[in-house]
Amino acid sequence: MASDPNCIFCKIVKGEIPSFKLYEDAATLAFMDINPVHDGHCLVIPKAHSANVFEIAPEDFAAAARTTAKLARAVKAAISCDGFNLMQANGEGAGQSVGHLHLHILPRKSGDGLLFNWDPKPGERDRIAAIAERIREFL
Ligand code: 5GP
Ligand code: ZN
């Protein structure tokens, strides 16, 4: 299984640094985030190292998604909050600070002011259609 000796999450997988583990299976690990935005903020990772969504094997991403759904239900049952975001950053510009793909399970409180939210503004239909066409060319 791919592992990077300099990666902090690979070290957590190997037990070289401690974490508050929640769950693991052959392909994934879930543990508490050390800087929680709210109680219950936790992370799900594939055990195999890959930096981001562009590099991860699709089956590892699928396994991480399965574990995320399982964990989200458990966190929801265990804590009180007003909603949840699932968050996954790719690249510095998107706020990724650890280069091992991870999904945040992020409980939210009404009015907590997290900047991840934005006010929806309708886009131009022609522009949306043109961009959709461009994306489909790469599928
Ligand atoms: P990112 O900013 O890359 O989306 O999220 C990285 C997350 O990993 C942050 O929320 C940060 O608090 C968490 N984190 C960074 N280092 C550690 C660590 O050593 N242990 C744990 N449990 N979480 C960490
Ligand atoms: Zn890693």
Side-chain angles (χ1 to χ4, degrees):
M1 180 177 295
S3 187
D4 176 344
N6 299 313
C7 169
I8 196 151
F9 286 175
C10 284
K11 289 180 185 172
I12 287 177
V13 169
K14 287 200 225 151
E16 290 173 4
I17 62 171
S19 68
F20 296 101
K21 280 189 189 173
L22 295 167
Y23 173 81
E24 71 179 305
D25 58 24
T28 67
L29 174 68
F31 54 98
M32 301 303 288
D33 195 299
I34 206 70
N35 306 299
V37 174
H38 291 301
D39 286 348
H41 182 181
C42 58
L43 302 170
V44 174
I45 62 171
K47 286 183 172 176
H49 179 87
S50 65
N52 54 43
V53 73
F54 307 111
E55 293 183 7
I56 191 169
E59 54 273 21
D60 281 341
F61 197 68
R66 264 197 303 276
T67 298
T68 299
K70 182 181 181 70
L71 265 287
R73 291 180 176 103
V75 178
K76 185 171 187 284
I79 59 131
S80 151
C81 66
D82 302 318
F84 278 86
N85 286 116
L86 302 179
M87 220 276 283
Q88 193 273 310
N90 300 282
E92 245 175 73
Q96 183 176 13
S97 61
V98 174
H100 180 132
L101 185 140
H102 50 281
L103 293 120
H104 293 259
I105 296 173
L106 186 56
R108 296 294 305 274
K109 302 268 188 195
S110 299
D112 63 16
L114 285 189
L115 297 175
F116 181 63
N117 288 349
W118 60 89
D119 288 330
K121 292 190 196 106
E124 282 172 41
R125 288 182 66 84
D126 289 353
R127 188 174 173 80
I128 294 169
I131 291 169
E133 201 170 320
R134 208 148 82 203
I135 293 168
R136 282 194 292 266
E137 283 171 21
F138 293 96
L139 290 172

